[in-house]
Amino acid sequence: MEGRVVGWLVLVTRLVVGGVWIVAGALKIPDPASSVQAVRAYRLLPEAIC
């Protein structure tokens, strides 16, 4: 019984995380330039690579 509950919790957690990724991606579709600018603001890569 306990294994079934854990299995359902894992499934729900995966679905929620997947939903978050889908929504985050969908919000970037209308304005990809601002998304690129936001990523560049972190300055993780040298300017020549970006």
Side-chain angles (χ1 to χ4, degrees):
M1 179 75 172
E2 204 172 293
R4 289 182 127 180
V5 173
V6 172
W8 278 107
L9 287 175
V10 169
L11 176 64
V12 169
T13 303
R14 290 173 133 187
L15 291 173
V16 169
V17 171
V20 169
W21 279 85
I22 289 171
V23 170
L27 291 173
K28 291 176 178 77
I29 290 173
D31 191 11
S34 70
S35 297
V36 170
Q37 184 180 11
V39 172
R40 285 184 178 168
Y42 285 104
R43 296 185 183 195
L44 295 174
L45 299 172
E47 200 60 38
I49 294 176
C50 297

